Amino acid sequence: MHLSTMGWDDFFETQKKVLKKVNGRLARVTGLQKNHVRIHDGEEEVVVKARGRIVRGHGSNTLFPVPGDFVIEKEGVVTRVFARKNQLVRGAAGRRGKLDAAPKAKQVIASNIDTVFIVCGLDRDYNLRRIERYLTLIYNSNMTPVVILNKADLHEDLAPFRTEVEAIAVGVPVHLISSLDGEGVDALAPYISEGKTVCLMGSSGAGKSSLVNAIVGEEIRIVGEVSDFDGKGMHTTTTRDMIFLNSGGMIIDNPGIREISLSDEEGGVDDTFPDITELADACRFNDCTHQHEPGCNVMAAVERGDLPADRLINYLKMRLELTFVSTRESKTADRIEKEQWRDVSKYLKDAKKRT
């Protein structure tokens, strides 16, 4: 392999030219093991460490490497992480719905992604509201989603599932596949052609590992059983790994996500709910909350049956969640600025006393 077939392009080449001299070797991050990083330079994959200041977040260029990053490595240590085209970010696990959550708690899942596959099983995992949250998360990260409805072999009539998902994932490609017998898997090939990187997202038991095996053509990922009681699967995938395909493309497989906490960007909600955004343009008030105001076109659409009530509820929940996170970050930024000026004021007073 060559770096150009691993996703390296002009975006990263421009950064390299600014450095003038690359003190080490270029590589792409393929996985993490605590503070150890697996990288591939096109010829071999090795495990190295991240530079101390990167781990501690001190100084400039302190991005901690995640799968998909391009880095410079020297003598077994990652010394630089190149700026990212994009990064898939979610709120830190355990923070959703907690008012005392740390305002800047985020988790970068992967970076430099061309397409994100939202993998949803057509069993008890099937949940339209969860798909909406995944879409918002992906749009907030400036990435392109594709919905993969797995386990199509469980149903004879698949048309209703496609219709329902296409109604909420406006303009997003929807593929019905079966990892078990390979039905529909070939249609995913264009997304994972040479140099392209796909990241998988979905809950445990959705069939992400089975999908990887079906694409590769052999069992390279462990597949766990799904409980008959609650329809949930075990975390058979516990690490984020980049898998190289014969097509020249790459897949980043992720552990199952049971809590989809959103980050601080609000634009993704409008991208996920363009129908509500369009309806809102005809509301009587520009600042309509779509809950109790007279002349609300969105609520009228719900009453007419043109807009599902649970879709509106999910929209309002996510807007509230993102607004809260954004407000917390603003308050934190204001607090930091006040503390900085307080320190400056103290320094000036002390300096005046000395003179």
Side-chain angles (χ1 to χ4, degrees):
M1 292 185 295
H2 186 271
L3 281 180
S4 62
T5 64
M6 296 170 62
W8 182 275
D9 58 18
D10 291 341
F11 178 83
F12 303 104
E13 188 64 28
T14 299
Q15 297 180 59
K16 175 186 171 184
K17 290 179 180 178
V18 171
L19 297 176
K20 296 182 179 179
K21 180 181 179 181
V22 176
N23 191 14
R25 65 171 169 174
L26 299 171
R28 194 168 191 192
V29 177
T30 57
L32 300 179
Q33 296 170 336
K34 294 185 178 180
N35 287 336
H36 290 78
V37 184
R38 280 188 287 109
I39 62 171
H40 204 304
D41 66 355
E43 295 183 2
E44 64 174 346
E45 186 177 53
V46 297
V47 178
V48 298
K49 294 182 178 180
R51 194 170 183 175
R53 64 180 175 81
I54 292 178
V55 174
R56 294 188 297 271
H58 294 163
S60 60
N61 188 247
T62 56
L63 290 174
F64 189 84
V66 298
D69 275 336
F70 283 97
V71 299
I72 296 176
E73 175 268 337
K74 182 180 179 182
E75 298 178 354
V77 177
V78 172
T79 59
R80 172 176 287 271
V81 179
F82 283 86
R84 299 160 176 161
K85 282 184 177 180
N86 54 34
Q87 57 182 20
L88 190 56
V89 181
R90 70 164 180 161
R95 300 285 177 179
R96 181 180 169 188
K98 293 185 178 181
L99 298 182
D100 60 346
K104 291 192 176 182
K106 299 178 184 178
Q107 180 184 18
V108 181
I109 297 173
S111 68
N112 304 316
I113 306 300
D114 295 292
T115 308
V116 181
F117 283 176
I118 302 172
V119 184
C120 177
L122 291 179
D123 48 13
R124 294 189 184 183
D125 182 61
Y126 183 69
N127 187 311
L128 295 176
R129 306 289 76 86
R130 187 188 301 127
I131 292 175
E132 288 172 343
R133 290 189 70 87
Y134 276 125
L135 288 170
T136 301
L137 180 71
I138 293 166
Y139 284 135
N140 277 348
S141 300
N142 296 314
M143 294 183 180
T144 302
V146 170
V147 178
I148 309 296
L149 298 179
N150 195 12
K151 307 182 184 181
D153 52 283
L154 297 178
H155 304 272
E156 292 185 3
D157 186 7
L158 298 172
F161 295 106
R162 180 186 292 278
T163 300
E164 285 184 339
V165 174
E166 287 181 342
I168 65 158
V170 182
V172 177
V174 178
H175 294 272
L176 290 145
I177 66 112
S178 171
S179 298
L180 183 65
D181 57 25
E183 183 68 29
V185 173
D186 289 345
L188 307 181
Y191 303 109
I192 41 181
S193 57
E194 184 175 277
K196 299 297 182 182
T197 305
V198 166
C199 183
L200 304 185
M201 295 195 74
S203 20
S204 299
K208 297 187 300 301
S209 296
S210 298
L211 176 58
V212 171
N213 292 340
I215 291 173
V216 174
E218 59 180 295
E219 293 191 8
I220 63 171
R221 304 296 277 180
I222 298 174
V223 178
E225 295 183 357
V226 176
S227 169
D228 292 332
F229 175 71
D230 59 7
K232 295 180 180 179
M234 295 179 61
H235 284 289
T236 52
T237 299
T238 57
T239 59
R240 295 182 178 89
D241 301 301
M242 178 178 288
I243 299 159
F244 295 94
L245 308 176
N246 291 332
S247 65
M250 292 143 283
I251 292 180
I252 297 178
D253 193 9
N254 285 290
I257 297 177
R258 290 181 178 172
E259 178 182 328
I260 313 166
S261 296
L262 303 178
S263 184
D264 59 328
E265 298 294 330
E266 293 191 44
V269 175
D270 293 333
D271 291 331
T272 303
F273 299 90
D275 50 344
I276 295 180
T277 302
E278 183 177 354
L279 287 168
D281 290 338
C283 288
R284 181 184 300 178
F285 302 106
N286 292 333
D287 58 350
C288 184
T289 65
H290 318 308
Q291 297 179 66
H292 50 70
E293 293 86 350
C296 175
N297 192 44
V298 176
M299 293 176 61
V302 173
E303 293 173 359
R304 293 194 305 267
D306 296 337
L307 178 68
D310 53 354
R311 180 165 169 80
L312 174 59
I313 291 171
N314 206 30
Y315 166 83
L316 294 174
K317 282 182 178 178
M318 283 192 274
R319 284 299 298 262
L320 180 63
E321 181 179 339
L322 288 168
T323 300
F324 173 75
V325 173
S326 179
T327 301
R328 284 294 301 269
E329 291 208 355
S330 298
K331 288 182 179 178
T332 301
D334 291 342
R335 188 177 298 115
I336 291 173
E337 184 176 2
K338 288 179 180 178
E339 290 176 353
Q340 289 175 337
W341 280 110
R342 183 187 62 198
D343 293 340
V344 170
S345 178
K346 184 176 184 301
Y347 173 80
L348 292 174
K349 287 181 180 179
D350 292 342
K352 188 175 182 180
K353 288 179 181 178
R354 289 194 296 270
T355 57

